[in-house]
Amino acid sequence: MRVLPLRMRILPGEGLDSWLEALGRRNGLAFSTFLRVMGLPRHYLTRPLVSGLPATVLRGLEIRTGLPAGRLDSAVIGSDFPFGPRRQRRCRFCPQCLAEREGRWLLKWWLPWTFSCTTHQSLLHDTCPGCGEGARVRLPGHTLRFPVGTCTLGSRLAPVCGTDLTSAELLPLASSHPLLAAQHRVDALLADPSTAYSVLADLNQCTPWLMHTINDTDVQSMGQAVRERWHRRPLATRTPADRVKPLGAAVNGVIAHAALPFLDPPNDSIAVHVVHELRTRRDTPNKVIPRGMTTEQWSQLSPGTQRRFLHAGDQIMGALDRVRFSSSTPRARVPEPGEDSANARIRHVPQALWPGWTVRLIPREGTKENLFRGIAAALLLLPGEPALRARAVTDRLGPHLPNAMTVILQRALKSGHPDVLTALCNLAHHLDDHGSPIDYERRRRLIPAIPISSDQWRELCFRTGTQPGEQLSAKTTQAPRYLNAQRYLNQLLTGADLADARHPLVLRSAPDRSRYFAFPPSLTLDQRDALHQHAIGILHDLNIDEPLTWEPPQECADGLDLPGRHLDDIDLKEVRRIVITEQRAPREAARELDTTLTHIRFALEQVPREPREWGRSSSLGSWRLHQQARMVLTTTFLQREYVDGDKSLAHIAQETGIPRHIAVAHARTLGFAIRRTRKPFPIDETWLREQYLGHKRSTLDIAQELGTEDETVRRRLKHLNVPLRPPGVHSRTIMTKIDTSLHRDIRSAAEGTLHGWLRLHRFQIAMRFPSLDSAAHHLKAEPNALVTQFQRLERDIGASLFERAAFGRPQQPTPQGRRLLRHLGTDRVQALMTASLPHDDTSDPPDDRVLEAARAKFRVRRSPGPPTPFNDIAVERVRITKPTLALLRDLVTRPQKEFYGAELIARTGLDPGTVYPQLKRLERAGWLTSRLEDDNSWMNRATPGRGPGKRRNFYALTAEGIRAARHETQHRIKGRASA
C-alpha cells in the first residue's frame, strides 16, 4: 500500500469528510478524484464518510496518511449512533467557527442534537444562506475552483451556488439562553458515549410527543429567531412527506431544552415532576402512553425513561394499570410481551390475603372482609403482567370473584390512602425477589378438604377441656363447631377463600359466614394450640417441610400511609374488657379503639378465654368419667373386687363414683364376664299365694312391702305356677263401674278407663281457649299429648267433640261437645270428678286475663322460619311440600339420569307452574345442576318446515343432592310432607 506523499494533520474535533477534502486540496485533486485514489467507496452524499466507513477502511487510511492507529476513530460517528427517524443528511455550521478554522468542519455539526455554538454563543445554520439548501448534503464538488468554506452545490441545469458560508450572518444567543444551557448538557453527555446513546435515543422517541406538547408560551422568552423557526417546524398534521423532514437547529434546541430535565435529570423526583407537568397539558386520563407518542415509540424508550413516565402518570392512569405497571414504586416498568410473572408468583400467594396485611390494607368502611381478602390476593398476580385484561390473570387464583376489583381499589383511593396500591406492588415484588417459605399451590393440591375427622375433633376438645359441639338436629339452628373447625384448619393451612363456591367447605350464607367468623375467637388458647399442632402433623404426614403460617414482612409498607395499623398494634386487655367482660358488640370495640372490625376479629383470636366448667351429664363429663374408669378400674382392681370379692358392678360403681353403665362397658372391654342375675330374693311361698290370690293384692303392693321390685314378685309367681292377672290397671278401683245415672257420654269416657276423668277435666278447660296450643300451655302439657287424649275421648264417646282451630278461626265444640260440656258443668259431676282425680292432676280454670292473652296470640300468624340445615350433607335445606316430595320420590328412582321439565311433568302429573319453580329452587340450593340442550339435539328435534323451538334445559341431581333427596323421602310418611 502506497503512502500519500503530501499530508495534513487532522484538527481536534474535525470530521473525516472535512479532513479528506483538505487533504485532497493539498494534493491538487478534486474531492471525488481523491476519494477514488484513496480507494474509498464513492457516494454522492457526504454523511456516509463520517458514519458509514468500516474500521478496516479507517485503518488503511491511517497507514497511507501516516496517522497513529485509531486516530480516525474520533473523526467519525459510530454506526449505532441514534440519528433518529428524520433524515439528517445535512451538516449544520457556525460561520465564525468555519472562518476561524479556515473552512474545516467540526464532526459534531453532523449530529442532530448539536444545534448551537457554545464558543460564539450563537444558533447554528441549517442551510446555505445563498441557495437555501442543506450544507454538505451532497459530496462537495469543484473543490479546486472554489476556496474552502464555499457552498459548491449545483447541477447541470443550475450553476454552482458559490456562497461564502463563513460570511453568513451570525445568529447570536444570550449567554443565559436556554438553548445554550441545553447544548452544554448535550456536549457533556457526548463525553460518555454509552450514556449519550441511551439519552439521545429516548430523545428521538419523545420528539413527536414534545412537538405536540410544547406550546408557544415555552418559546416566548427564547428570542425572535427561535420563535420564528419554531413556528415553521414540520407538524404531523401536514402531508406524509413533511413528517420525515429534518428539524431545524432551533426546533431541536427547544425540544432538547424541554426533554433533558427528565431524560438526564440530577434525580428522579425532578424528572417525574417535569414529565407530570408536560403530561397534564393535553393528556387523556387513564392512558399509559402519552398522547402524541405511538406504541412503537413508547416500546423503544429505555426502562429508566419509561419508569419516569409511569411515575408521572401514576395519578392519571386507571387503578388496575397502576398496579400492573407498579407506577407508584421505584420498580415501575412496562412488562415485556410473553412475561409470565403471575404463574411464577401464584404458588406463593394464598387465595385469601394474609390476616396481618388484611388489617393494614382494608378500608375503614364500605368493604366486606372476605371480598377484600380474595380480591387483594388476586391483585398480587397483576404487577408485571403484560395481559391487558385483569381477569385473565386474577382468575387463575380467584375465578369466583365478582367484577369488583376496580371498585375495591377506587374505594381504597377515595378513602385517602393511595399507598394501598404501592403496598400491593411491594408485596408482589417481595415475593418475586425472596419467594415464600410456603408453597400455597402445593398445599391447595395436597391438603384434604376435611383435615380433621369427627373422632379427632372430639378427642382434641376433650383433651383441652372444651365441648366439641353437637350435630345439627330439628331444634338446632347453630352450625356444628366441627364443620367450622374443618374450615378453620383448611384456611389456616392453604389460605383458602371460603367464599369460593368450588370449595367443599364453602360458606353458604351470611349467617353461616357470621358463625364461622365467631368460631376462632371462641376457641381457648389450649384448643387453638392443639388445632395448630394437628395442622403441623398434617404437613409432616405429607412430607411438607414448611412453617405452618407465614406473612411477608411489614417492611414492605415502610413509609406508606395505609388505612389500618399493624395486627399487633392493639390493646388486647381493652378488647377483652369491651367484648368479653362487658359483652358489647365487636363493632363497638372497633369504634372505641379507632380501628376496623376486621382488626378486632383477628385480635379476639389472641385473647385468652377460660374454658367453662361442664357437668357429669355433658359429653366432656362423660369422656372424663371414661378416662377415670380406665385409670381406676384396672384389670387387677376388677379381679380383686369383682371376681374374688364377689362385689356387683353396681356396688363397685357406687364406691368409685363411676356410673354403673360405664363400669359395665369398661369391664366388658377388659374381657370380664358380666353377671346379669343376683341371688334369689327370699320370699315365703305360702304367704305370697295368700296375699296375691286371697287378698287380691297387686304385685306392686307386695314388692313395696318386701322392699324388692315388681318384676321379682312376678317371676316368683310364675315359678310357683300361679296364674297372673292381666297386666296393667284392670284390677284398680278406678276401673270399676260408676253411677249409671250419669249421662251416657260421661260414663263412656270414664268407665273402664285409667285416665277418663282427667281427659274430661282437660277437655272442659281446653274448650275455653282458642286453640289446643294455648290450652296445652295453660295445662302444662304437650300439645301432641293433648291431641292424643282428645282423640281417645272422641273414640270412647263415639262422636266428634270439637272442630279444630285454623288461622282466623278458633276451635269450637260440636253440638255433641257442647252437650258434654253442659253435663260436665253440673255440681254432681264436678264433685265426682274432683274426688276421682289426684290433687296434682287438677288445673285451675283460666281467668279472663289468661284467655284474652291466648286470643291475642292466636290472632298473630307465626312465621315457619327457615329449614334447619343438614348434619353432613353439603347442600342448602329447602322446605318440603307435598309437590316437592312427589318430585323427589320420582328423582331418587333414577338418580344418575338427566331429565327435563316436560318429561318430569308427564311422569308425576304435577302442574308446570309448580314443577319449574321447584326445579329452580332446588338448583339454587345446590341439589341440582343444569345445562342447555346442545345444538345437534336441538336442531334434530325441529319439525320439518318449522324452527326447532325453545331449547330444553336438562337437570341432574348432584352427588350431595342425591343424599339429600333420599334423606327427605325416607324420613317422611308416604303421602305427607312436613316443613
Side-chain angles (χ1 to χ4, degrees):
M1 180 180 296
R2 296 181 60 185
V3 178
L4 194 68
L6 300 177
R7 307 172 188 173
M8 289 185 68
R9 67 185 183 88
I10 184 169
L11 300 180
E14 185 179 10
L16 181 65
D17 64 315
S18 174
W19 176 67
L20 288 176
E21 180 186 356
L23 198 58
R25 289 176 182 272
R26 178 74 176 85
N27 285 275
L29 296 175
F31 198 6
S32 58
T33 304
F34 181 72
L35 294 179
R36 185 171 61 252
V37 170
M38 297 300 291
L40 296 175
R42 185 176 178 183
H43 297 280
Y44 74 94
L45 298 177
T46 308
R47 200 184 78 173
L49 291 177
V50 295
S51 63
L53 294 181
T56 55
V57 174
L58 297 179
R59 301 290 84 78
L61 278 175
E62 290 166 349
I63 294 173
R64 298 190 65 178
T65 58
L67 294 177
R71 171 64 182 84
L72 294 181
D73 288 343
S74 61
V76 296
I77 303 171
S79 58
D80 58 345
F81 186 86
F83 280 96
R86 295 177 179 270
R87 291 193 287 265
Q88 186 69 23
R89 298 174 180 176
R90 62 193 179 188
C91 182
R92 297 193 179 106
F93 64 95
C94 170
Q96 196 164 346
C97 286
L98 195 60
E100 293 174 356
R101 296 173 64 88
E102 298 179 352
R104 307 286 281 271
W105 296 74
L106 291 175
L107 176 65
K108 67 178 182 178
W109 290 345
W110 284 105
L111 301 178
W113 298 108
T114 299
F115 43 82
S116 64
C117 176
T118 57
T119 303
H120 300 101
Q121 297 183 354
S122 62
L123 194 65
L124 296 182
H125 283 267
D126 296 293
T127 58
C128 170
C131 62
E133 296 293 333
R136 299 180 72 81
V137 173
R138 292 191 294 273
L139 198 69
H142 310 284
T143 54
L144 298 181
R145 291 174 48 198
F146 294 94
V148 295
T150 304
C151 177
T152 59
L153 290 179
S155 66
R156 294 178 181 178
L157 301 179
V160 175
C161 175
T163 301
D164 183 5
L165 300 178
T166 62
S167 62
E169 180 186 3
L170 196 66
L171 303 174
L173 299 173
S175 59
S176 60
H177 200 281
L179 267 59
L180 287 178
Q183 188 64 67
H184 280 296
R185 295 187 68 173
V186 172
D187 293 344
L189 277 173
L190 293 173
D192 183 3
S194 60
T195 304
Y197 288 2
S198 174
V199 172
L200 297 180
D202 288 346
L203 184 54
N204 290 329
Q205 306 307 324
C206 292
T207 294
W209 169 63
L210 289 171
M211 291 179 67
H212 176 80
T213 305
I214 297 172
N215 53 40
D216 293 343
T217 306
D218 297 326
V219 299
Q220 189 65 33
S221 61
M222 294 186 182
Q224 182 68 25
V226 175
R227 288 197 300 270
E228 290 178 356
R229 285 165 173 76
W230 173 256
H231 291 155
R232 295 198 301 266
R233 70 191 185 281
L235 298 176
T237 55
R238 297 183 180 178
T239 63
D242 291 334
R243 297 180 186 177
V244 293
K245 283 186 177 181
L247 301 178
V251 176
N252 275 20
V254 172
I255 293 173
H257 167 67
L260 288 176
F262 66 83
L263 292 179
D264 183 35
N267 57 69
D268 274 358
S269 61
I270 295 177
V272 170
H273 175 72
V274 172
V275 176
H276 179 72
E277 290 295 323
L278 291 171
R279 291 200 64 170
T280 53
R281 292 181 178 181
R282 300 184 181 179
D283 249 354
T284 303
N286 297 329
K287 283 196 64 176
V288 179
I289 302 176
R291 184 180 178 184
M293 185 182 296
T294 64
T295 305
E296 181 180 3
Q297 291 166 349
W298 169 261
S299 64
Q300 292 179 9
L301 291 176
S302 65
T305 301
Q306 281 188 348
R307 183 176 63 253
R308 297 180 195 121
F309 270 90
L310 292 175
H311 285 326
D314 181 60
Q315 300 301 320
I316 63 174
M317 288 191 296
L320 291 179
D321 283 336
R322 295 172 68 179
V323 176
R324 178 185 292 108
F325 301 127
S326 302
S327 58
S328 59
T329 71
R331 298 175 60 164
R333 68 182 185 88
V334 177
E336 296 292 335
E339 271 193 68
D340 199 8
S341 57
N343 276 346
R345 197 182 301 140
I346 192 171
R347 57 191 293 264
H348 303 309
V349 180
Q351 216 181 2
L353 192 67
W354 301 280
W357 284 101
T358 301
V359 171
R360 296 216 64 187
L361 301 181
I362 190 169
R364 288 292 185 100
E365 300 291 341
T367 303
K368 294 182 179 179
E369 176 192 320
N370 58 323
L371 179 62
F372 178 82
R373 293 187 71 185
I375 287 180
L379 286 173
L380 292 179
L381 304 181
L382 203 56
E385 178 59 39
L388 297 180
R389 183 172 172 267
R391 291 304 295 262
V393 182
T394 58
D395 278 358
R396 304 177 196 176
L397 187 66
H400 64 288
L401 297 172
N403 293 319
M405 297 185 180
T406 304
V407 176
I408 294 297
L409 290 179
Q410 289 297 340
R411 284 178 182 169
L413 296 175
K414 291 178 181 178
S415 67
H417 298 282
D419 286 349
V420 169
L421 304 186
T422 307
L424 289 173
C425 297
N426 288 347
L427 289 175
H429 297 155
H430 180 84
L431 295 177
D432 292 340
D433 296 341
H434 306 287
S436 165
I438 296 178
D439 188 343
Y440 291 99
E441 189 73 14
R442 177 174 59 179
R443 290 195 182 186
R444 286 190 285 266
R445 186 177 66 253
L446 298 181
I447 299 296
I450 301 178
I452 185 171
S453 67
S454 58
D455 292 339
Q456 290 173 326
W457 168 244
R458 289 175 62 85
E459 181 69 20
L460 182 148
C461 291
F462 291 152
R463 282 191 286 104
T464 56
T466 54
Q467 286 282 78
E470 299 299 328
Q471 297 293 326
L472 288 174
S473 66
K475 297 181 180 179
T476 306
T477 58
Q478 293 286 331
R481 288 175 62 80
Y482 169 53
L483 173 61
N484 286 329
Q486 297 177 45
R487 290 168 170 167
Y488 176 79
L489 279 175
N490 196 287
Q491 191 171 55
L492 184 71
L493 285 163
T494 67
D497 185 359
L498 297 179
D500 188 350
R502 302 171 302 166
H503 201 284
L505 302 175
V506 61
L507 300 172
R508 299 191 173 277
S509 62
D512 193 17
R513 180 170 58 252
S514 298
R515 287 190 290 268
Y516 172 65
F517 281 174
F519 173 76
S522 71
L523 298 173
T524 65
L525 292 183
D526 289 343
Q527 197 174 15
R528 186 180 297 110
D529 291 343
L531 281 171
H532 286 197
Q533 289 301 318
H534 181 82
I536 292 172
I538 292 175
L539 295 178
H540 181 268
D541 294 341
L542 294 173
N543 295 321
I544 298 177
D545 186 15
E546 295 174 354
L548 178 59
T549 58
W550 174 84
E551 290 193 11
Q554 292 295 324
E555 287 77 7
C556 295
D558 283 351
L560 301 182
D561 180 18
L562 299 178
R565 311 198 300 259
H566 288 277
L567 180 59
D568 297 332
D569 184 15
I570 192 170
D571 191 340
L572 295 181
K573 293 182 179 179
E574 285 297 299
V575 175
R576 180 183 180 88
R577 175 184 65 80
I578 298 171
V579 179
I580 298 178
T581 305
E582 299 179 4
Q583 292 293 301
R584 291 158 62 189
R587 191 173 298 278
E588 293 185 32
R591 191 180 305 112
E592 186 169 326
L593 298 178
D594 190 27
T595 186
T596 60
L597 180 61
T598 302
H599 196 179
I600 296 296
R601 191 176 70 78
F602 285 124
L604 282 172
E605 297 185 21
Q606 308 302 322
V607 174
R609 287 179 178 260
E610 298 298 329
R612 282 180 54 186
E613 291 295 330
W614 299 93
R616 291 166 58 94
S617 60
S618 65
S619 56
L620 174 59
S622 176
W623 179 81
R624 287 172 173 169
L625 289 172
H626 279 282
Q627 295 297 106
Q628 181 184 355
R630 292 190 184 95
M631 297 176 61
V632 175
L633 304 181
T634 61
T635 303
T636 305
F637 178 85
L638 289 176
Q639 181 68 33
R640 182 181 71 249
E641 300 292 331
Y642 181 59
V643 178
D644 300 337
D646 199 26
K647 291 183 180 179
S648 66
L649 286 176
H651 184 62
I652 294 175
Q654 186 176 8
E655 288 181 345
T656 59
I658 300 173
R660 180 182 178 279
H661 68 280
I662 295 179
V664 170
H666 188 66
R668 184 180 290 112
T669 302
L670 295 177
F672 288 91
I674 307 301
R675 297 195 296 265
R676 298 187 178 276
T677 61
R678 294 177 295 182
K679 296 178 180 179
F681 190 82
I683 302 177
D684 188 334
E685 297 178 358
T686 304
W687 178 85
L688 179 61
R689 288 177 183 272
E690 180 183 357
Q691 296 297 320
Y692 186 72
L693 297 176
H695 298 286
K696 301 296 184 181
R697 293 180 63 185
S698 66
T699 56
L700 180 60
D701 290 341
I702 298 173
Q704 289 176 347
E705 181 179 344
L706 294 176
T708 185
E709 297 177 357
D710 182 24
E711 188 60 29
T712 301
V713 176
R714 293 177 60 83
R715 284 199 301 268
R716 185 59 58 85
L717 290 172
K718 289 180 181 179
H719 181 71
L720 297 176
N721 294 322
V722 174
L724 298 176
R725 291 191 293 274
V729 297
H730 298 284
S731 61
R732 297 191 183 183
T733 57
I734 197 172
M735 302 293 292
T736 59
K737 298 290 184 179
I738 63 175
D739 190 352
T740 57
S741 64
L742 295 178
H743 189 269
R744 179 178 59 84
D745 289 346
I746 297 177
R747 286 191 287 110
S748 298
E751 191 174 60
T753 62
L754 181 58
H755 297 296
W757 283 111
L758 178 62
R759 289 190 285 272
L760 290 170
H761 172 68
R762 288 186 169 181
F763 178 75
Q764 185 181 20
I765 293 177
M767 287 301 102
R768 301 185 64 183
F769 286 90
S771 66
L772 287 184
D773 286 342
S774 56
H777 178 72
H778 177 75
L779 294 170
K780 296 181 177 55
E782 291 292 333
N784 290 339
L786 212 58
V787 169
T788 303
Q789 292 172 15
F790 290 174
Q791 287 175 346
R792 170 67 184 274
L793 192 61
E794 289 177 328
R795 188 165 61 250
D796 291 343
I797 293 175
S800 176
L801 297 178
F802 68 102
E803 296 177 357
R804 271 57 175 175
F807 181 73
R809 189 187 66 211
Q811 61 185 6
Q812 294 291 338
T814 62
Q816 187 82 7
R818 287 194 292 272
R819 184 167 57 249
L820 176 60
L821 291 173
R822 286 197 303 272
H823 289 292
L824 288 175
T826 62
D827 295 340
R828 180 186 175 195
V829 174
Q830 285 295 310
L832 185 59
M833 183 186 297
T834 303
S836 301
L837 290 175
H839 177 72
D840 294 341
D841 289 342
T842 58
S843 299
D844 296 331
D847 54 25
D848 293 339
R849 183 181 57 81
V850 173
L851 292 176
E852 182 57 32
R855 294 188 189 102
K857 185 176 180 181
F858 177 75
R859 287 192 291 269
V860 178
R861 183 184 292 273
R862 292 176 297 173
S863 173
T868 57
F870 290 102
N871 288 341
D872 58 345
I873 304 176
V875 297
E876 186 178 346
R877 199 163 192 176
V878 299
R879 195 167 303 283
I880 304 299
T881 61
K882 187 173 182 180
T884 309
L885 189 60
L887 187 147
L888 292 178
R889 284 180 176 145
D890 178 85
L891 295 184
V892 295
T893 60
R894 43 183 69 80
Q896 305 299 330
K897 294 183 64 176
E898 283 189 330
F899 62 94
Y900 54 92
E903 178 185 7
L904 189 62
I905 292 169
R907 289 203 305 262
T908 61
L910 296 174
D911 185 75
T914 300
V915 170
Y916 288 105
Q918 294 284 358
L919 293 178
K920 291 298 182 183
R921 186 160 62 104
L922 292 174
E923 183 181 7
R924 287 194 301 269
W927 297 46
L928 301 175
T929 58
S930 66
R931 68 171 181 86
L932 283 175
E933 185 179 19
D934 57 63
D935 291 341
N936 291 336
S937 173
W938 183 43
M939 297 304 296
N940 290 339
R941 291 194 299 103
T943 304
R946 300 177 62 184
K950 187 177 180 181
R951 288 180 187 261
R952 289 172 175 166
N953 200 2
F954 285 92
Y955 296 87
L957 282 168
T958 64
E960 294 298 300
I962 294 173
R963 293 181 60 199
R966 288 174 176 167
H967 178 278
E968 295 292 354
T969 55
Q970 291 171 2
H971 287 75
R972 280 171 170 76
I973 303 172
K974 184 176 181 181
R976 178 183 174 188
S978 61

